[in-house]
Amino acid sequence: AQSVTQPDIHITVSEGASLELRCNYSYGATPYLFWYVQSPGQGLQLLLKYFSGDTLVQGIKGFEAEFKRSQSSFNLRKPSVHWSDAAEYFCAVGADNNAGNMLTFGGGTRLMVKP
Amino acid sequence: EPEVTQTPSHQVTQMGQEVILRCVPISNHLYFYWYRQILGQKVEFLVSFYNNEISEKSEIFDDQFSVERPDGSNFTLKIRSTKLEDSAMYFCASTRFGNEAFFGQGTRLTVV
């Protein structure tokens, strides 16, 4: 069965500092990987996804993530954090790209941004 | 930009009552999902729906739960007899080809 671990429950960074949120997954085949962001009172917004090809993927809001098969990781990065990035971030792995594709989510990382 | 719409945003119900959570997926999407997030816990998959039938469901999705697409636009989740432990945020999602899921804003269900 697939699983996702986000080791950091909370992270605090200063505005303008760089950010890396960790995600490790377990899945038998080639995974489909996603990062979602949830602002307070909001739904889940897709930041970026990896299906195949280039292992460094670019997303919205200046985020990027790198798929490293050898480390079973898909860490999310941003070079300079803005106060509006404060939110909860979820990494997810998808099953095969067919009917009934279900996402398995990590526990989330809550990001706080200091002025 | 098209979006998934969920109503109501917050529902309070008494234990044992039936509730129906409603979702309007993106219009040309073909796959529909319900997920839930109990406060402080992970987002968990409940069920997926394709071609007017359930294609996959989790252990959580027992006989108390049902889904329906009654009119070609709405997608509903019914809980027949709510329990305290059903209190959670319920998210509807849809995709066109079963890959990138678009989520609604969620319905917070509180069972008292």
Side-chain angles (χ1 to χ4, degrees), chain B residues 42-86:
Chain B
K42 294 184 178 186
V43 178
E44 303 171 289
F45 170 78
L46 291 178
V47 65
S48 60
F49 193 85
Y50 170 73
N51 201 25
N52 286 319
E53 62 182 20
I54 291 174
S55 50
E56 201 166 336
K57 62 183 180 179
S58 72
E59 293 175 352
I60 303 167
F61 194 86
D62 61 21
D63 292 344
Q64 291 297 312
F65 292 89
S66 62
V67 289
E68 198 175 39
R69 190 159 159 79
D71 57 12
S73 62
N74 290 284
F75 179 52
T76 62
L77 174 69
K78 183 193 291 187
I79 309 175
R80 287 190 183 81
S81 178
T82 49
K83 302 187 278 283
L84 294 176
E85 53 265 39
D86 294 326

mmCIF file of all heavy atoms in Angstrom, chain B residues 42-86:
data_model
loop_
_atom_site.group_PDB
_atom_site.id
_atom_site.type_symbol
_atom_site.label_atom_id
_atom_site.label_comp_id
_atom_site.label_asym_id
_atom_site.label_seq_id
_atom_site.Cartn_x
_atom_site.Cartn_y
_atom_site.Cartn_z
ATOM 1 N N LYS B 42 -4.808 13.377 8.919
ATOM 2 C CA LYS B 42 -4.536 13.412 7.488
ATOM 3 C C LYS B 42 -5.819 13.519 6.682
ATOM 4 O O LYS B 42 -6.903 13.140 7.126
ATOM 5 C CB LYS B 42 -3.842 12.120 7.059
ATOM 6 C CG LYS B 42 -2.472 11.905 7.606
ATOM 7 C CD LYS B 42 -1.864 10.634 7.008
ATOM 8 C CE LYS B 42 -0.462 10.403 7.508
ATOM 9 N NZ LYS B 42 0.185 9.259 6.846
ATOM 10 N N VAL B 43 -5.676 13.985 5.462
ATOM 11 C CA VAL B 43 -6.755 13.888 4.487
ATOM 12 C C VAL B 43 -6.837 12.432 4.034
ATOM 13 O O VAL B 43 -5.826 11.834 3.634
ATOM 14 C CB VAL B 43 -6.482 14.804 3.280
ATOM 15 C CG1 VAL B 43 -7.585 14.660 2.233
ATOM 16 C CG2 VAL B 43 -6.354 16.265 3.726
ATOM 17 N N GLU B 44 -8.039 11.860 4.124
ATOM 18 C CA GLU B 44 -8.208 10.432 3.822
ATOM 19 C C GLU B 44 -9.179 10.231 2.657
ATOM 20 O O GLU B 44 -10.238 10.867 2.604
ATOM 21 C CB GLU B 44 -8.795 9.693 5.033
ATOM 22 C CG GLU B 44 -7.997 9.805 6.298
ATOM 23 C CD GLU B 44 -8.783 9.238 7.476
ATOM 24 O OE1 GLU B 44 -9.779 9.873 7.891
ATOM 25 O OE2 GLU B 44 -8.400 8.158 7.968
ATOM 26 N N PHE B 45 -8.846 9.326 1.796
ATOM 27 C CA PHE B 45 -9.708 8.970 0.671
ATOM 28 C C PHE B 45 -10.926 8.198 1.169
ATOM 29 O O PHE B 45 -10.818 7.301 2.008
ATOM 30 C CB PHE B 45 -8.903 8.107 -0.300
ATOM 31 C CG PHE B 45 -9.706 7.451 -1.388
ATOM 32 C CD1 PHE B 45 -10.128 8.161 -2.492
ATOM 33 C CD2 PHE B 45 -10.038 6.102 -1.290
ATOM 34 C CE1 PHE B 45 -10.847 7.541 -3.497
ATOM 35 C CE2 PHE B 45 -10.752 5.476 -2.287
ATOM 36 C CZ PHE B 45 -11.170 6.189 -3.397
ATOM 37 N N LEU B 46 -12.095 8.559 0.649
ATOM 38 C CA LEU B 46 -13.308 7.816 0.958
ATOM 39 C C LEU B 46 -13.749 6.965 -0.234
ATOM 40 O O LEU B 46 -13.911 5.746 -0.119
ATOM 41 C CB LEU B 46 -14.439 8.768 1.327
ATOM 42 C CG LEU B 46 -14.326 9.531 2.637
ATOM 43 C CD1 LEU B 46 -15.520 10.455 2.804
ATOM 44 C CD2 LEU B 46 -14.220 8.580 3.811
ATOM 45 N N VAL B 47 -13.953 7.621 -1.380
ATOM 46 C CA VAL B 47 -14.581 6.922 -2.490
ATOM 47 C C VAL B 47 -14.280 7.649 -3.794
ATOM 48 O O VAL B 47 -14.076 8.860 -3.810
ATOM 49 C CB VAL B 47 -16.107 6.845 -2.253
ATOM 50 C CG1 VAL B 47 -16.733 8.237 -2.275
ATOM 51 C CG2 VAL B 47 -16.804 5.921 -3.242
ATOM 52 N N SER B 48 -14.230 6.865 -4.865
ATOM 53 C CA SER B 48 -14.147 7.453 -6.200
ATOM 54 C C SER B 48 -15.305 6.943 -7.039
ATOM 55 O O SER B 48 -15.826 5.840 -6.802
ATOM 56 C CB SER B 48 -12.811 7.148 -6.869
ATOM 57 O OG SER B 48 -12.635 5.749 -7.004
ATOM 58 N N PHE B 49 -15.695 7.729 -8.024
ATOM 59 C CA PHE B 49 -16.919 7.473 -8.783
ATOM 60 C C PHE B 49 -16.646 7.790 -10.235
ATOM 61 O O PHE B 49 -16.143 8.868 -10.565
ATOM 62 C CB PHE B 49 -18.012 8.394 -8.227
ATOM 63 C CG PHE B 49 -19.414 8.090 -8.663
ATOM 64 C CD1 PHE B 49 -20.161 7.144 -8.000
ATOM 65 C CD2 PHE B 49 -19.997 8.798 -9.705
ATOM 66 C CE1 PHE B 49 -21.479 6.892 -8.368
ATOM 67 C CE2 PHE B 49 -21.303 8.559 -10.087
ATOM 68 C CZ PHE B 49 -22.049 7.597 -9.407
ATOM 69 N N TYR B 50 -16.955 6.824 -11.099
ATOM 70 C CA TYR B 50 -16.708 7.008 -12.526
ATOM 71 C C TYR B 50 -17.761 6.255 -13.307
ATOM 72 O O TYR B 50 -18.120 5.130 -12.943
ATOM 73 C CB TYR B 50 -15.300 6.489 -12.875
ATOM 74 C CG TYR B 50 -15.015 6.413 -14.355
ATOM 75 C CD1 TYR B 50 -14.801 7.572 -15.090
ATOM 76 C CD2 TYR B 50 -14.975 5.191 -15.012
ATOM 77 C CE1 TYR B 50 -14.547 7.504 -16.446
ATOM 78 C CE2 TYR B 50 -14.725 5.114 -16.374
ATOM 79 C CZ TYR B 50 -14.513 6.282 -17.087
ATOM 80 O OH TYR B 50 -14.263 6.223 -18.430
ATOM 81 N N ASN B 51 -18.256 6.867 -14.340
ATOM 82 C CA ASN B 51 -19.223 6.211 -15.213
ATOM 83 C C ASN B 51 -20.434 5.732 -14.414
ATOM 84 O O ASN B 51 -20.923 4.612 -14.618
ATOM 85 C CB ASN B 51 -18.548 5.047 -15.950
ATOM 86 C CG ASN B 51 -19.286 4.647 -17.203
ATOM 87 O OD1 ASN B 51 -19.999 5.448 -17.804
ATOM 88 N ND2 ASN B 51 -19.141 3.399 -17.585
ATOM 89 N N ASN B 52 -20.869 6.577 -13.507
ATOM 90 C CA ASN B 52 -22.078 6.340 -12.711
ATOM 91 C C ASN B 52 -21.985 5.163 -11.752
ATOM 92 O O ASN B 52 -23.025 4.574 -11.392
ATOM 93 C CB ASN B 52 -23.304 6.180 -13.616
ATOM 94 C CG ASN B 52 -23.748 7.511 -14.190
ATOM 95 O OD1 ASN B 52 -23.753 8.527 -13.492
ATOM 96 N ND2 ASN B 52 -24.084 7.511 -15.455
ATOM 97 N N GLU B 53 -20.787 4.839 -11.366
ATOM 98 C CA GLU B 53 -20.673 3.805 -10.334
ATOM 99 C C GLU B 53 -19.403 4.022 -9.519
ATOM 100 O O GLU B 53 -18.476 4.699 -9.972
ATOM 101 C CB GLU B 53 -20.687 2.408 -10.951
ATOM 102 C CG GLU B 53 -19.543 2.124 -11.899
ATOM 103 C CD GLU B 53 -19.663 0.734 -12.513
ATOM 104 O OE1 GLU B 53 -20.774 0.164 -12.506
ATOM 105 O OE2 GLU B 53 -18.642 0.230 -12.983
ATOM 106 N N ILE B 54 -19.390 3.441 -8.344
ATOM 107 C CA ILE B 54 -18.207 3.516 -7.490
ATOM 108 C C ILE B 54 -17.094 2.704 -8.125
ATOM 109 O O ILE B 54 -17.288 1.540 -8.497
ATOM 110 C CB ILE B 54 -18.528 2.990 -6.083
ATOM 111 C CG1 ILE B 54 -19.478 3.959 -5.358
ATOM 112 C CG2 ILE B 54 -17.252 2.791 -5.283
ATOM 113 C CD1 ILE B 54 -19.978 3.452 -4.016
ATOM 114 N N SER B 55 -15.923 3.314 -8.281
ATOM 115 C CA SER B 55 -14.789 2.599 -8.851
ATOM 116 C C SER B 55 -13.807 2.132 -7.779
ATOM 117 O O SER B 55 -13.089 1.162 -7.974
ATOM 118 C CB SER B 55 -14.053 3.460 -9.877
ATOM 119 O OG SER B 55 -13.756 4.731 -9.347
ATOM 120 N N GLU B 56 -13.813 2.812 -6.660
ATOM 121 C CA GLU B 56 -12.930 2.410 -5.573
ATOM 122 C C GLU B 56 -13.468 3.019 -4.277
ATOM 123 O O GLU B 56 -14.038 4.104 -4.292
ATOM 124 C CB GLU B 56 -11.515 2.924 -5.841
ATOM 125 C CG GLU B 56 -10.414 2.213 -5.127
ATOM 126 C CD GLU B 56 -9.042 2.548 -5.700
ATOM 127 O OE1 GLU B 56 -8.954 2.944 -6.880
ATOM 128 O OE2 GLU B 56 -8.057 2.425 -4.955
ATOM 129 N N LYS B 57 -13.292 2.326 -3.177
ATOM 130 C CA LYS B 57 -13.686 2.885 -1.893
ATOM 131 C C LYS B 57 -12.746 2.401 -0.807
ATOM 132 O O LYS B 57 -12.135 1.345 -0.932
ATOM 133 C CB LYS B 57 -15.128 2.534 -1.548
ATOM 134 C CG LYS B 57 -15.398 1.054 -1.417
ATOM 135 C CD LYS B 57 -16.880 0.822 -1.136
ATOM 136 C CE LYS B 57 -17.162 -0.677 -0.995
ATOM 137 N NZ LYS B 57 -18.600 -0.933 -0.701
ATOM 138 N N SER B 58 -12.638 3.189 0.249
ATOM 139 C CA SER B 58 -11.765 2.826 1.349
ATOM 140 C C SER B 58 -12.556 2.083 2.423
ATOM 141 O O SER B 58 -13.780 1.961 2.353
ATOM 142 C CB SER B 58 -11.129 4.083 1.944
ATOM 143 O OG SER B 58 -12.093 4.821 2.656
ATOM 144 N N GLU B 59 -11.825 1.623 3.410
ATOM 145 C CA GLU B 59 -12.461 0.911 4.538
ATOM 146 C C GLU B 59 -13.403 1.830 5.312
ATOM 147 O O GLU B 59 -14.328 1.369 5.957
ATOM 148 C CB GLU B 59 -11.385 0.373 5.475
ATOM 149 C CG GLU B 59 -10.535 -0.717 4.876
ATOM 150 C CD GLU B 59 -9.403 -1.131 5.811
ATOM 151 O OE1 GLU B 59 -9.208 -0.466 6.841
ATOM 152 O OE2 GLU B 59 -8.712 -2.111 5.482
ATOM 153 N N ILE B 60 -13.129 3.124 5.244
ATOM 154 C CA ILE B 60 -13.973 4.076 5.968
ATOM 155 C C ILE B 60 -15.371 4.102 5.372
ATOM 156 O O ILE B 60 -16.368 4.277 6.065
ATOM 157 C CB ILE B 60 -13.368 5.497 5.872
ATOM 158 C CG1 ILE B 60 -11.945 5.515 6.419
ATOM 159 C CG2 ILE B 60 -14.240 6.510 6.586
ATOM 160 C CD1 ILE B 60 -11.189 6.777 6.073
ATOM 161 N N PHE B 61 -15.450 3.919 4.087
ATOM 162 C CA PHE B 61 -16.713 4.047 3.333
ATOM 163 C C PHE B 61 -17.542 2.789 3.541
ATOM 164 O O PHE B 61 -17.561 1.886 2.693
ATOM 165 C CB PHE B 61 -16.400 4.286 1.865
ATOM 166 C CG PHE B 61 -17.579 4.768 1.057
ATOM 167 C CD1 PHE B 61 -17.878 6.112 0.991
ATOM 168 C CD2 PHE B 61 -18.384 3.875 0.366
ATOM 169 C CE1 PHE B 61 -18.954 6.568 0.243
ATOM 170 C CE2 PHE B 61 -19.460 4.308 -0.381
ATOM 171 C CZ PHE B 61 -19.747 5.654 -0.441
ATOM 172 N N ASP B 62 -18.214 2.740 4.690
ATOM 173 C CA ASP B 62 -19.016 1.549 4.998
ATOM 174 C C ASP B 62 -20.468 1.762 4.570
ATOM 175 O O ASP B 62 -20.774 2.695 3.828
ATOM 176 C CB ASP B 62 -18.904 1.217 6.483
ATOM 177 C CG ASP B 62 -19.423 2.336 7.381
ATOM 178 O OD1 ASP B 62 -20.210 3.174 6.911
ATOM 179 O OD2 ASP B 62 -19.024 2.367 8.561
ATOM 180 N N ASP B 63 -21.355 0.907 5.041
ATOM 181 C CA ASP B 63 -22.750 0.938 4.592
ATOM 182 C C ASP B 63 -23.491 2.202 5.002
ATOM 183 O O ASP B 63 -24.592 2.461 4.515
ATOM 184 C CB ASP B 63 -23.501 -0.279 5.150
ATOM 185 C CG ASP B 63 -23.012 -1.568 4.543
ATOM 186 O OD1 ASP B 63 -22.330 -1.497 3.491
ATOM 187 O OD2 ASP B 63 -23.274 -2.636 5.100
ATOM 188 N N GLN B 64 -22.912 2.969 5.907
ATOM 189 C CA GLN B 64 -23.549 4.225 6.316
ATOM 190 C C GLN B 64 -23.382 5.318 5.264
ATOM 191 O O GLN B 64 -24.063 6.328 5.300
ATOM 192 C CB GLN B 64 -22.946 4.713 7.634
ATOM 193 C CG GLN B 64 -23.294 3.848 8.836
ATOM 194 C CD GLN B 64 -24.784 3.849 9.088
ATOM 195 O OE1 GLN B 64 -25.442 4.880 9.109
ATOM 196 N NE2 GLN B 64 -25.347 2.659 9.262
ATOM 197 N N PHE B 65 -22.439 5.101 4.359
ATOM 198 C CA PHE B 65 -22.135 6.104 3.348
ATOM 199 C C PHE B 65 -22.693 5.674 1.986
ATOM 200 O O PHE B 65 -22.710 4.484 1.653
ATOM 201 C CB PHE B 65 -20.617 6.279 3.203
ATOM 202 C CG PHE B 65 -19.940 6.903 4.387
ATOM 203 C CD1 PHE B 65 -19.467 6.123 5.424
ATOM 204 C CD2 PHE B 65 -19.754 8.279 4.443
ATOM 205 C CE1 PHE B 65 -18.828 6.702 6.515
ATOM 206 C CE2 PHE B 65 -19.109 8.866 5.520
ATOM 207 C CZ PHE B 65 -18.648 8.072 6.560
ATOM 208 N N SER B 66 -23.088 6.644 1.213
ATOM 209 C CA SER B 66 -23.450 6.379 -0.175
ATOM 210 C C SER B 66 -23.164 7.628 -1.003
ATOM 211 O O SER B 66 -23.095 8.736 -0.466
ATOM 212 C CB SER B 66 -24.917 5.966 -0.320
ATOM 213 O OG SER B 66 -25.763 7.012 0.109
ATOM 214 N N VAL B 67 -22.969 7.419 -2.288
ATOM 215 C CA VAL B 67 -22.739 8.539 -3.194
ATOM 216 C C VAL B 67 -23.695 8.414 -4.368
ATOM 217 O O VAL B 67 -24.136 7.314 -4.721
ATOM 218 C CB VAL B 67 -21.281 8.611 -3.708
ATOM 219 C CG1 VAL B 67 -20.334 9.035 -2.607
ATOM 220 C CG2 VAL B 67 -20.857 7.290 -4.338
ATOM 221 N N GLU B 68 -23.942 9.561 -4.973
ATOM 222 C CA GLU B 68 -24.900 9.595 -6.067
ATOM 223 C C GLU B 68 -24.574 10.774 -6.959
ATOM 224 O O GLU B 68 -24.056 11.801 -6.507
ATOM 225 C CB GLU B 68 -26.313 9.774 -5.490
ATOM 226 C CG GLU B 68 -27.430 9.418 -6.421
ATOM 227 C CD GLU B 68 -28.781 9.512 -5.726
ATOM 228 O OE1 GLU B 68 -28.972 10.441 -4.927
ATOM 229 O OE2 GLU B 68 -29.645 8.673 -6.020
ATOM 230 N N ARG B 69 -24.875 10.574 -8.242
ATOM 231 C CA ARG B 69 -24.791 11.691 -9.186
ATOM 232 C C ARG B 69 -26.176 11.795 -9.804
ATOM 233 O O ARG B 69 -26.432 11.267 -10.876
ATOM 234 C CB ARG B 69 -23.716 11.406 -10.214
ATOM 235 C CG ARG B 69 -23.368 12.586 -11.093
ATOM 236 C CD ARG B 69 -21.992 12.393 -11.694
ATOM 237 N NE ARG B 69 -21.792 13.202 -12.877
ATOM 238 C CZ ARG B 69 -21.513 14.492 -12.869
ATOM 239 N NH1 ARG B 69 -21.432 15.144 -11.719
ATOM 240 N NH2 ARG B 69 -21.327 15.157 -13.992
ATOM 241 N N PRO B 70 -27.071 12.475 -9.124
ATOM 242 C CA PRO B 70 -28.495 12.362 -9.464
ATOM 243 C C PRO B 70 -28.904 13.008 -10.776
ATOM 244 O O PRO B 70 -29.863 12.569 -11.408
ATOM 245 C CB PRO B 70 -29.179 13.050 -8.278
ATOM 246 C CG PRO B 70 -28.163 13.966 -7.699
ATOM 247 C CD PRO B 70 -26.833 13.321 -7.942
ATOM 248 N N ASP B 71 -28.180 14.056 -11.190
ATOM 249 C CA ASP B 71 -28.696 14.817 -12.320
ATOM 250 C C ASP B 71 -27.631 15.212 -13.324
ATOM 251 O O ASP B 71 -27.840 16.118 -14.107
ATOM 252 C CB ASP B 71 -29.409 16.066 -11.796
ATOM 253 C CG ASP B 71 -28.484 16.910 -10.934
ATOM 254 O OD1 ASP B 71 -27.265 16.642 -10.935
ATOM 255 O OD2 ASP B 71 -28.971 17.817 -10.252
ATOM 256 N N GLY B 72 -26.491 14.592 -13.306
ATOM 257 C CA GLY B 72 -25.444 14.891 -14.278
ATOM 258 C C GLY B 72 -24.585 16.073 -13.931
ATOM 259 O O GLY B 72 -23.607 16.334 -14.627
ATOM 260 N N SER B 73 -24.934 16.802 -12.870
ATOM 261 C CA SER B 73 -24.059 17.901 -12.468
ATOM 262 C C SER B 73 -23.681 17.809 -10.997
ATOM 263 O O SER B 73 -22.548 18.048 -10.629
ATOM 264 C CB SER B 73 -24.705 19.251 -12.759
ATOM 265 O OG SER B 73 -25.902 19.399 -12.023
ATOM 266 N N ASN B 74 -24.621 17.421 -10.141
ATOM 267 C CA ASN B 74 -24.321 17.308 -8.724
ATOM 268 C C ASN B 74 -23.729 15.950 -8.398
ATOM 269 O O ASN B 74 -23.996 14.946 -9.061
ATOM 270 C CB ASN B 74 -25.607 17.498 -7.905
ATOM 271 C CG ASN B 74 -26.083 18.922 -7.957
ATOM 272 O OD1 ASN B 74 -25.528 19.802 -7.313
ATOM 273 N ND2 ASN B 74 -27.116 19.168 -8.754
ATOM 274 N N PHE B 75 -22.932 15.943 -7.351
ATOM 275 C CA PHE B 75 -22.341 14.704 -6.830
ATOM 276 C C PHE B 75 -22.497 14.774 -5.326
ATOM 277 O O PHE B 75 -21.992 15.700 -4.697
ATOM 278 C CB PHE B 75 -20.870 14.629 -7.257
ATOM 279 C CG PHE B 75 -20.130 13.413 -6.778
ATOM 280 C CD1 PHE B 75 -20.627 12.139 -6.982
ATOM 281 C CD2 PHE B 75 -18.900 13.536 -6.140
ATOM 282 C CE1 PHE B 75 -19.944 11.011 -6.555
ATOM 283 C CE2 PHE B 75 -18.197 12.422 -5.706
ATOM 284 C CZ PHE B 75 -18.732 11.157 -5.915
ATOM 285 N N THR B 76 -23.238 13.828 -4.749
ATOM 286 C CA THR B 76 -23.582 13.934 -3.341
ATOM 287 C C THR B 76 -22.986 12.796 -2.526
ATOM 288 O O THR B 76 -22.790 11.677 -3.023
ATOM 289 C CB THR B 76 -25.099 13.934 -3.140
ATOM 290 O OG1 THR B 76 -25.635 12.699 -3.616
ATOM 291 C CG2 THR B 76 -25.755 15.086 -3.874
ATOM 292 N N LEU B 77 -22.733 13.102 -1.268
ATOM 293 C CA LEU B 77 -22.310 12.115 -0.284
ATOM 294 C C LEU B 77 -23.375 12.103 0.804
ATOM 295 O O LEU B 77 -23.672 13.145 1.392
ATOM 296 C CB LEU B 77 -20.958 12.472 0.316
ATOM 297 C CG LEU B 77 -20.470 11.601 1.468
ATOM 298 C CD1 LEU B 77 -20.117 10.192 0.973
ATOM 299 C CD2 LEU B 77 -19.252 12.226 2.155
ATOM 300 N N LYS B 78 -23.948 10.940 1.050
ATOM 301 C CA LYS B 78 -24.952 10.803 2.088
ATOM 302 C C LYS B 78 -24.395 9.963 3.221
ATOM 303 O O LYS B 78 -23.790 8.906 2.988
ATOM 304 C CB LYS B 78 -26.217 10.133 1.546
ATOM 305 C CG LYS B 78 -27.342 10.021 2.574
ATOM 306 C CD LYS B 78 -28.454 9.092 2.120
ATOM 307 C CE LYS B 78 -29.235 9.641 0.977
ATOM 308 N NZ LYS B 78 -30.424 8.773 0.656
ATOM 309 N N ILE B 79 -24.614 10.442 4.426
ATOM 310 C CA ILE B 79 -24.309 9.651 5.613
ATOM 311 C C ILE B 79 -25.646 9.369 6.279
ATOM 312 O O ILE B 79 -26.357 10.301 6.678
ATOM 313 C CB ILE B 79 -23.366 10.388 6.586
ATOM 314 C CG1 ILE B 79 -22.132 10.910 5.846
ATOM 315 C CG2 ILE B 79 -22.946 9.443 7.713
ATOM 316 C CD1 ILE B 79 -21.205 11.757 6.721
ATOM 317 N N ARG B 80 -26.004 8.093 6.394
ATOM 318 C CA ARG B 80 -27.369 7.726 6.780
ATOM 319 C C ARG B 80 -27.661 8.028 8.241
ATOM 320 O O ARG B 80 -28.706 8.574 8.569
ATOM 321 C CB ARG B 80 -27.612 6.240 6.519
ATOM 322 C CG ARG B 80 -27.751 5.922 5.065
ATOM 323 C CD ARG B 80 -28.231 4.508 4.805
ATOM 324 N NE ARG B 80 -28.266 4.257 3.376
ATOM 325 C CZ ARG B 80 -27.202 3.925 2.650
ATOM 326 N NH1 ARG B 80 -26.036 3.780 3.221
ATOM 327 N NH2 ARG B 80 -27.315 3.743 1.349
ATOM 328 N N SER B 81 -26.798 7.663 9.115
ATOM 329 C CA SER B 81 -27.024 7.842 10.550
ATOM 330 C C SER B 81 -25.704 8.319 11.156
ATOM 331 O O SER B 81 -24.817 7.515 11.453
ATOM 332 C CB SER B 81 -27.457 6.516 11.179
ATOM 333 O OG SER B 81 -27.629 6.653 12.575
ATOM 334 N N THR B 82 -25.603 9.627 11.312
ATOM 335 C CA THR B 82 -24.298 10.194 11.669
ATOM 336 C C THR B 82 -23.880 9.823 13.086
ATOM 337 O O THR B 82 -24.706 9.681 13.998
ATOM 338 C CB THR B 82 -24.335 11.723 11.543
ATOM 339 O OG1 THR B 82 -25.494 12.220 12.228
ATOM 340 C CG2 THR B 82 -24.383 12.147 10.086
ATOM 341 N N LYS B 83 -22.575 9.679 13.226
ATOM 342 C CA LYS B 83 -21.963 9.407 14.531
ATOM 343 C C LYS B 83 -21.046 10.570 14.875
ATOM 344 O O LYS B 83 -20.631 11.340 13.999
ATOM 345 C CB LYS B 83 -21.165 8.104 14.474
ATOM 346 C CG LYS B 83 -21.977 6.898 14.063
ATOM 347 C CD LYS B 83 -21.171 5.616 14.199
ATOM 348 C CE LYS B 83 -20.272 5.363 13.036
ATOM 349 N NZ LYS B 83 -21.022 4.854 11.871
ATOM 350 N N LEU B 84 -20.710 10.671 16.144
ATOM 351 C CA LEU B 84 -19.824 11.757 16.564
ATOM 352 C C LEU B 84 -18.517 11.732 15.774
ATOM 353 O O LEU B 84 -17.983 12.785 15.406
ATOM 354 C CB LEU B 84 -19.534 11.671 18.063
ATOM 355 C CG LEU B 84 -20.715 11.905 19.005
ATOM 356 C CD1 LEU B 84 -20.284 11.689 20.451
ATOM 357 C CD2 LEU B 84 -21.294 13.293 18.818
ATOM 358 N N GLU B 85 -18.018 10.537 15.509
ATOM 359 C CA GLU B 85 -16.737 10.407 14.824
ATOM 360 C C GLU B 85 -16.804 10.735 13.335
ATOM 361 O O GLU B 85 -15.773 10.731 12.657
ATOM 362 C CB GLU B 85 -16.150 9.004 15.015
ATOM 363 C CG GLU B 85 -17.063 7.875 14.641
ATOM 364 C CD GLU B 85 -17.835 7.310 15.834
ATOM 365 O OE1 GLU B 85 -18.263 8.106 16.706
ATOM 366 O OE2 GLU B 85 -18.029 6.084 15.874
ATOM 367 N N ASP B 86 -17.985 11.024 12.837
ATOM 368 C CA ASP B 86 -18.100 11.494 11.450
ATOM 369 C C ASP B 86 -17.800 12.988 11.325
ATOM 370 O O ASP B 86 -17.715 13.516 10.208
ATOM 371 C CB ASP B 86 -19.505 11.227 10.896
ATOM 372 C CG ASP B 86 -19.806 9.745 10.753
ATOM 373 O OD1 ASP B 86 -18.872 8.969 10.449
ATOM 374 O OD2 ASP B 86 -20.980 9.373 10.954
#
